[in-house]
Amino acid sequence: MQLLPLLVLIYILNLIECNNIASARLANLENDLGLTEKQYDTCISILYIGYISMQVPSNIILSRIARPAYFLCGCMVVWGFLSACTGLTRNFTGLLLCRLLLGFAESAFFPGALYYISSWYTKKELALRIAFLQSGAQIGNAFGNLMAIGLLRLDGTFGIAGWRWLFLTEGIVTVSVALISMLILPDLPSSSTSSHLNPEQHEFAIWRLQRDAALRSPDEAAAVGLNMRGKIRGRISIWEVLQMVFVDGKVWMFLGVMMGICKTPTLGYPRNMTLLLTAPPYILCCIFMLLNGIHSDKTQTRFNHIICPLTVATLAHAVILSTTAVAPRYFAMLLLPASIFASMSVTWSWIFQTIDQPPEKRAAAFAFLNSICNSTNIWTSYLYTGPPQYLLAFSVNIVALLPAMAFATLTKWHLKRLNDAEEREGRKGRHVL
């Protein structure tokens, strides 16, 4: 009650801040600032420069502090302030600068939240918890657009354009939530000074994680015990952390899985209708993600819960490429977020169960994978040309999904080999398939 609901709320605001420029575009942002189409695309893409470059160092820092709430909420204050500043911009240069800095500020949250969650929950609980967290993104996509409809109606109030009201209001709300969350979010279990747990609860939180690690490896259980109780081995340098990440073949296999990302364009309706039509796919996505996560945790299988949604996504793309009729394309777009994000949330839990200690390595691996995965956003916005079919964009999307499924199969095969080797040595195979 202290951790997940607030993280979901923060993620909702994070996605709203990131994507509200699309709603602002429908409210004459380009005309008011005198933007060309390429300048607008550049403002979309430049956010990911900072977002990608700072994730790994940010997560390494986060793995070394006992109070992540202060760090994450501090970054949240900054991105809320930058969002409000976006509502005050007067030209392309101002918008570009705000978007660039916004990427740096927002880079800390998602990989940091993943590490935060993995520090509290056992690995068999993670698929549902990550699906719950990522449902915040879909709620943000859905209700962010609905909220935008209301805020854009303020157009002209006090002589302020509707899209400016959008940025200003959402920025102020974000800063307010950040300051409140800083006081409520718990410290890590490793913190001996946590004000959110009594001594018995603190010991129980540590015991749960140690027991979970012991089921897989006595060495990992010992490492968890040392890390949890503050008797940490000597500090690992950032270079050593990066070496551990880059030489781990499993990290590169998971990277291949996670590169299958797609975007959903509009259907060509007027502003309010476009914003309304984008809400149902993300609401459906929340339902599918949670059901997929629940079943994945219950059965303790990951591969099937990744490959099946990706197959649905491939078929949905095929429908979109084969027709320009609105009804079948909209049906396919209902399936796209549900299938892509349902598989993505289970992939994250699979990564958590597979990447070994120490915690700095795991934190850096999360950030590395997420940053590279999001690097596609730098150039994909330029692919959505040639409406209404968007042939190039959806062709690239469907081509990306096929190697994602191939890498998922390769990862399962590799982990099965590792399990077989451990069982031949008289140990139980610790990798979940």
Side-chain angles (χ1 to χ4, degrees):
M1 292 304 296
Q2 292 178 20
L3 180 65
L4 276 175
L6 268 180
L7 287 181
V8 170
L9 176 60
I10 294 172
Y11 200 20
I12 290 172
L13 295 172
N14 180 266
L15 265 292
I16 288 176
E17 304 286 2
C18 184
N19 298 329
N20 56 12
I21 190 172
S23 300
R25 186 186 195 185
L26 297 173
N28 298 317
L29 169 75
E30 289 174 289
N31 291 336
D32 288 354
L33 298 184
L35 303 180
T36 66
E37 184 174 351
K38 290 299 181 184
Q39 286 177 326
Y40 173 82
D41 289 339
T42 301
C43 289
I44 293 290
S45 300
I46 200 167
L47 178 140
Y48 295 97
I49 301 295
Y51 188 79
I52 291 166
S53 63
M54 286 303 296
Q55 288 194 30
V56 172
S58 171
N59 245 30
I60 292 176
I61 293 171
L62 190 67
S63 70
R64 295 183 173 186
I65 60 178
R67 296 190 169 182
Y70 287 17
F71 181 76
L72 294 178
C73 293
C75 292
M76 188 180 177
V77 169
V78 175
W79 88 59
F81 173 75
L82 289 169
S83 177
C85 289
T86 306
L88 303 176
T89 55
R90 298 294 175 182
N91 50 43
F92 168 66
T93 302
L95 180 62
L96 192 71
L97 182 61
C98 285
R99 294 285 294 178
L100 175 63
L101 296 176
L102 184 65
F104 284 105
E106 291 192 339
S107 66
F109 178 71
F110 183 67
L114 291 176
Y115 176 75
Y116 198 178
I117 290 174
S118 72
S119 299
W120 276 101
Y121 292 99
T122 65
K123 289 183 170 58
K124 67 180 181 180
E125 299 169 337
L126 283 170
L128 175 59
R129 271 68 183 185
I130 295 169
F132 191 70
L133 173 68
Q134 289 200 301
S135 69
Q138 314 319 315
I139 295 171
N141 284 322
F143 293 100
N145 290 330
L146 298 179
M147 184 171 66
I149 293 176
L151 291 174
L152 293 177
R153 289 183 180 275
L154 295 174
D155 186 36
T157 304
F158 301 116
I160 301 174
W163 65 267
R164 295 187 186 277
W165 279 112
L166 182 67
F167 286 111
L168 289 167
T169 304
E170 291 174 354
I172 292 170
V173 170
T174 297
V175 172
S176 302
V177 171
L179 296 175
I180 296 172
S181 300
M182 193 178 295
L183 303 175
I184 299 175
L185 286 170
D187 301 335
L188 293 181
S190 56
S191 172
S192 60
T193 60
S194 175
S195 60
H196 298 80
L197 299 176
N198 62 41
E200 183 179 3
Q201 292 170 334
H202 186 241
E203 287 296 314
F204 180 64
I206 294 174
W207 174 82
R208 273 171 33 89
L209 297 171
Q210 278 188 279
R211 181 177 179 273
D212 179 55
L215 294 176
R216 297 185 308 279
S217 166
D219 291 339
E220 186 170 352
V224 169
L226 289 175
N227 293 332
M228 285 289 142
R229 297 178 188 280
K231 303 170 186 176
I232 302 177
R233 66 281 177 272
R235 279 281 188 232
I236 303 175
S237 70
I238 293 178
W239 174 242
E240 289 175 317
V241 172
L242 295 178
Q243 280 184 310
M244 286 188 286
V245 171
F246 294 149
V247 301
D248 192 335
K250 299 187 292 293
V251 172
W252 297 100
M253 293 180 192
F254 282 121
L255 179 61
V257 177
M258 295 185 63
M259 290 299 289
I261 300 174
C262 72
K263 298 290 182 184
T264 306
T266 64
L267 295 173
Y269 281 105
R271 183 185 80 192
N272 284 0
M273 183 60 72
T274 295
L275 294 173
L276 287 169
L277 286 173
T278 56
Y282 294 114
I283 296 172
L284 182 65
C285 180
C286 291
I287 298 171
F288 269 76
M289 284 173 61
L290 293 173
L291 291 177
N292 197 47
I294 290 170
H295 195 260
S296 179
D297 276 346
K298 182 178 180 179
T299 60
Q300 279 300 287
T301 56
R302 303 306 187 204
F303 172 77
N304 293 338
H305 294 83
I306 294 169
I307 208 73
C308 290
L310 289 181
T311 302
V312 173
T314 304
L315 296 175
H317 277 94
V319 171
I320 292 172
L321 285 170
S322 64
T323 180
T324 57
V326 170
R329 294 191 101 203
Y330 187 66
F331 176 74
M333 289 177 189
L334 283 170
L335 299 178
L336 279 182
S339 55
I340 291 294
F341 285 98
S343 62
M344 187 65 75
S345 62
V346 174
T347 302
W348 277 119
S349 67
W350 204 13
I351 293 169
F352 292 152
Q353 289 182 294
T354 304
I355 303 300
D356 301 321
Q357 293 278 350
E360 289 95 336
K361 175 190 174 182
R362 184 174 291 138
F366 300 160
F368 170 71
L369 291 169
N370 192 59
S371 61
I372 299 299
C373 182
N374 277 280
S375 67
T376 58
N377 289 305
I378 294 176
W379 52 269
T380 50
S381 63
Y382 296 98
L383 298 179
Y384 285 91
T385 58
Q389 196 161 13
Y390 298 98
L391 181 62
L392 176 61
F394 284 111
S395 297
V396 170
N397 289 342
I398 200 170
V399 168
L401 288 172
L402 299 179
M405 290 188 283
F407 273 105
T409 304
L410 177 63
T411 303
K412 179 184 177 182
W413 174 78
H414 177 65
L415 295 180
K416 187 177 186 305
R417 287 187 61 214
L418 294 177
N419 284 345
D420 291 342
E422 291 177 357
E423 288 171 3
R424 285 194 296 270
E425 296 174 359
R427 296 180 292 155
K428 182 180 179 181
R430 59 193 175 96
H431 296 295
V432 172
L433 306 178

